[in-house]
Amino acid sequence: METKTRCDWCLSSELYKEYHDQEWGTPVYDDATLFEFLILETFQAGLSWITILNKRENFRAAFDQFDYKIIAQYSEEKVQELLQNAGIIRHRLKIHSAISNAIAFMKVQEEFGSFSKYIWNFTNGKPIINSPKTLKEVPATTPLSDSISKDLKKRSFKFVGSTVIYAYLQATGIVNDHLTDCWKRNP
């Protein structure tokens, strides 16, 4: 019998629990992983995260293992191929945003040395540790996500509204919103 107490949002499936236990809220400093989460979060806009998790491997295969250097070069022919792929979210604007975000991502890398340096600079390189006792205490946006969203939009990123960015910050461990009684909070 399992004895781990987890955040309430992940209890509906084993895939959710595995994602929660192994990834969510764990600080990410690797540019390739930061890009993967950026693409997944932008596709999640308006949908549930479990929908994206269920399709994650399909996304990985369809989007060349989330290699931003390859994605930045996608042609209209590749876009059409992706629009026919039932294994992913077939949304033309989101597919185009993956391409433009790959280009913008590399521009940020050129300017800052890495995307990781850029994104972690917003928190002085340290995770923000919140102490929510319930899911109701976890915000959808914060002044930090507002600021990052605004800056990313200035840099030509798409589908990076404040809500998407706050979810991104949580997923990549820049913000730790594990509930206070969650085992991941104090592993």
Side-chain angles (χ1 to χ4, degrees):
M1 181 163 162
E2 193 159 336
T3 59
K4 289 181 181 173
T5 300
R6 293 181 175 91
C7 298
D8 298 346
W9 61 263
C10 75
L11 302 177
S12 64
S13 80
E14 288 307 311
L15 181 61
Y16 244 178
K17 289 177 189 174
E18 182 180 317
Y19 169 70
H20 170 274
D21 291 357
Q22 296 177 14
E23 294 184 85
W24 192 76
T26 300
V28 174
Y29 300 95
D30 171 68
D31 273 11
T33 307
L34 287 167
F35 183 75
E36 175 179 349
F37 274 111
L38 183 65
I39 295 304
L40 293 173
E41 291 292 352
T42 59
F43 270 91
Q44 189 258 334
L47 302 169
S48 68
W49 184 243
I50 194 65
T51 300
I52 300 303
L53 274 184
N54 283 325
K55 294 178 178 279
R56 188 178 191 180
E57 291 309 314
N58 297 335
F59 272 104
R60 189 171 276 130
F63 283 90
D64 292 284
Q65 308 303 309
F66 299 109
D67 185 328
Y68 46 86
K69 292 175 185 168
I70 295 172
I71 295 170
Q73 303 296 319
Y74 279 1
S75 64
E76 187 55 36
E77 184 179 318
K78 177 66 174 183
V79 170
Q80 291 305 316
E81 176 189 314
L82 291 167
L83 285 168
Q84 301 306 313
N85 187 334
I88 65 168
I89 306 301
R90 296 178 289 181
H91 187 287
R92 180 180 297 278
L93 292 177
K94 289 180 181 182
I95 291 169
H96 278 288
S97 79
I99 299 166
S100 63
N101 287 351
I103 294 165
F105 189 88
M106 290 189 297
K107 287 180 181 172
V108 167
Q109 286 179 316
E110 287 173 24
E111 183 178 345
F112 292 88
S114 72
F115 188 82
S116 181
K117 285 181 188 171
Y118 162 78
I119 199 73
W120 280 97
N121 189 51
F122 284 94
T123 62
N124 295 317
K126 293 183 169 68
I128 293 172
I129 313 289
N130 294 323
S131 299
K133 290 179 178 55
T134 68
L135 288 179
K136 289 181 181 178
E137 294 177 25
V138 178
T141 64
T142 63
L144 175 64
S145 64
D146 294 345
S147 175
I148 294 173
S149 171
K150 186 176 179 182
D151 195 69
L152 287 169
K153 287 176 183 177
K154 276 196 312 197
R155 296 174 184 280
S156 301
F157 285 83
K158 308 283 185 236
F159 283 94
V160 290
S162 189
T163 302
V164 167
I165 293 306
Y166 194 71
Y168 177 74
L169 297 175
Q170 291 172 308
T172 58
I174 296 168
V175 171
N176 182 336
D177 273 340
H178 282 286
L179 300 182
T180 54
D181 65 348
C182 177
W183 79 270
K184 270 292 287 245
R185 187 167 182 75
N186 300 302

